[in-house]
């Protein structure tokens, strides 16, 4: 009797072509695979690591894993060739999912949908599932993985040739969508890598007016909401991008950033330009409701608006977190300079006897107690009083 199984007691043994009992070897029988141990018994419900006799890829491991199920037959890909996963419980009672090729070898790394491993620089782009290293093989499910990715198109200085990927409950790579995970919003690009830094939503408008979204740094990459400080993207502010100048932005929970408006945040008022950069310093501006129509930074007295000009003058602090109690000497000097530049204009009929709050012409969305400072007209100078002023950012004064 040759090339057949024989049962003895509770175990099966295989007689090879010479009629000898096979030992410690993989047996192929009718397109199925089995393994017999050192005394010839067919194993079942066991993992076995065997020498890879026929590696398909240059980087494939010299050793491969098989799992032999209850009947002793190795798990393998279905006849359809589609990638499927088997649930296997380990000795600690933990159930994990694994994929196998058509010859029963455990798959690992990036996989496509045809029970094949993907290798090379584009594996992360083309892969659908990820199953760890050659001694792991566990399908990534409902979890983040930071994985190697060769991307010659990424010139970010912080890119370390890895991207973050999220695998859903069925193990598929999340791609080309936005998703809220544990309360944070993320954007996944076409190849599945989580977006970080700036992202411009498609728009027919010029890049400077495109809806800009910001997704933190590479090791976080969730949608930034609230205040954050960073270098603008090259598309919207090439000069700041090239010089590395950072600006404050305010991210919206719905995506994008506040832009082209004066906005009340936590009962304080801030100005933002058309690309979302927080304004700071002295400006002459025209405003329609809360929308900033025009703005020009004032660098000298000659740039102040004339008596009947449509612009109002505003001052914005350097940081959204600066409070009057923290006002430094440099800011006091800047404010004094502003009053010096404006001292002759306090004789204007619209201003005499009134505080700058009463002289502002910006609608009803600012409350007097929210303004930065009040001015008392004296014979020699204008004195600054901070006693009742809770914020350092907002409209300063206008005529």
């Amino acid at each position: 009797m040759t090339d057949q199984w024989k049962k003895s007691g509770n175990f099966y043994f295989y007689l090879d072509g010479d009629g000898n009992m096979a030992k410690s070897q993989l047996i192929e029988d009718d397109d199925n695979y089995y393994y017999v141990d050192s005394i010839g018994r067919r194993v079942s419900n066991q993992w076995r690591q065997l020498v890879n006799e026929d590696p398909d890829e240059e980087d494939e491991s010299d050793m491969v894993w098989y799992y032999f199920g209850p009947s002793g037959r190795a798990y393998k890909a279905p006849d359809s060739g589609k990638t499927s996963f088997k649930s296997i419980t380990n000795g600690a009672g933990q159930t994990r999912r694994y994929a196998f090729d058509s010859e029963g070898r455990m798959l690992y790394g990036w996989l496509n949908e045809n029970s094949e491993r993907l290798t090379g620089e584009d594996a992360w782009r083309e892969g659908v599932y990820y199953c760890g290293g050659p001694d792991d093989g566990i399908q990534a499910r409902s979890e983040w993985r930071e994985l190697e990715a060769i991307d010659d198109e990424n010139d970010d200085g912080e890119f370390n040739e890895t991207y973050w990927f999220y695998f859903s409950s069925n193990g598929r790579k999340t791609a080309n969508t936005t998703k809220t995970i544990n309360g944070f919003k993320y954007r996944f690009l076409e190849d599945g890598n989580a977006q970080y830094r700036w992202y411009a939503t498609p728009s027919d408008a010029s890049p400077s007016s495109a809806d800009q979204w910001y997704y933190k740094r590479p090791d976080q990459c969730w949608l930034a909401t609230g205040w954050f400080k960073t270098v603008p993207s090259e598309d919207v502010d090439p000069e700041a991008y090239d010089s590395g100048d950072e600006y404050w932005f305010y991210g919206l929970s719905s995506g994008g950033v506040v832009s082209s408006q004066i906005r009340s945040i936590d009962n304080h008022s801030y100005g933002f330009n058309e690309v979302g950069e927080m304004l700071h310093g002295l400006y002459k501006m025209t405003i329609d409701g809360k929308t900033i129509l025009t703005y020009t930074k004032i660098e000298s007295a000659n740039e102040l608006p004339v008596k009947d000009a449509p612009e109002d003058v505003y001052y914005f602090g350097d940081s959204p977190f600066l409070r009057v109690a923290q006002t430094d000497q440099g800011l006091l000097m800047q404010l004094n300079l502003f009053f010096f530049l404006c001292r002759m204009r306090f004789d204007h009929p619209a201003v005499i006897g009134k505080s700058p709050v009463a002289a502002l012409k910006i609608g009803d969305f600012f409350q007097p107690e929210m303004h930065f400072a009040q001015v008392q007209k004296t014979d020699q100078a204008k004195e600054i009083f901070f006693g009742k002023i809770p914020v350092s950012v907002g409209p300063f004064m206008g005529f």
Side-chain angles (χ1 to χ4, degrees), residues 376-393:
Q376 178 176 328
K377 185 173 182 292
T378 66
D379 293 336
Q380 301 298 325
K382 305 296 175 290
E383 298 179 5
I384 306 173
F385 297 91
F386 294 100
K388 299 180 180 179
I389 312 302
V391 301
S392 66
V393 180

Side-chain angles (χ1 to χ4, degrees), residues 90-158:
N90 61 24
Q94 299 169 323
T95 301
R96 301 288 187 264
R97 287 160 55 94
Y98 302 84
F100 302 86
D101 68 10
S102 60
E103 297 179 0
R105 295 173 294 192
M106 183 193 77
L107 297 171
Y108 60 91
W110 284 106
L111 312 182
N112 63 15
E113 295 189 277
N114 299 312
S115 300
E116 297 171 334
R117 290 186 61 236
L118 298 175
T119 61
E121 293 185 356
D122 289 334
W124 66 273
R125 297 182 188 274
E126 301 168 0
V128 178
Y129 307 98
Y130 186 78
C131 294
D135 291 322
D136 179 3
I138 299 173
Q139 181 190 28
R141 301 170 61 206
S142 301
E143 63 180 287
W144 288 96
R145 289 289 184 96
E146 184 181 17
L147 302 173
E148 180 179 347
I150 305 301
D151 188 356
D152 295 334
E153 298 176 1
N154 191 335
D155 59 359
D156 189 290
E158 293 190 38

Side-chain angles (χ1 to χ4, degrees), residues 243-265:
S243 62
D245 291 339
E246 292 186 328
Y247 285 87
W248 283 102
F249 296 83
Y250 192 84
L252 300 171
S253 59
S254 58
V257 295
V258 177
S259 61
S260 296
Q261 62 178 282
I262 292 179
R263 187 180 183 94
S264 178
I265 301 170

Side-chain angles (χ1 to χ4, degrees), residues 54 99-100 108 140 147 154 159 222 251 253 282 337 360 369 376:
D54 185 24
F100 302 86
Y108 60 91
L147 302 173
N154 191 335
F159 179 57
W222 59 74
S253 59
L282 292 173
L337 173 62
L360 284 169
E369 63 271 20
Q376 178 176 328

Side-chain angles (χ1 to χ4, degrees), residues 266 268 270 319-328 390-393:
D266 295 330
H268 306 308
Y270 305 87
S319 166
F321 304 107
L322 181 65
R323 295 293 178 262
V324 170
Q326 300 169 305
T327 301
D328 59 25
V391 301
S392 66
V393 180

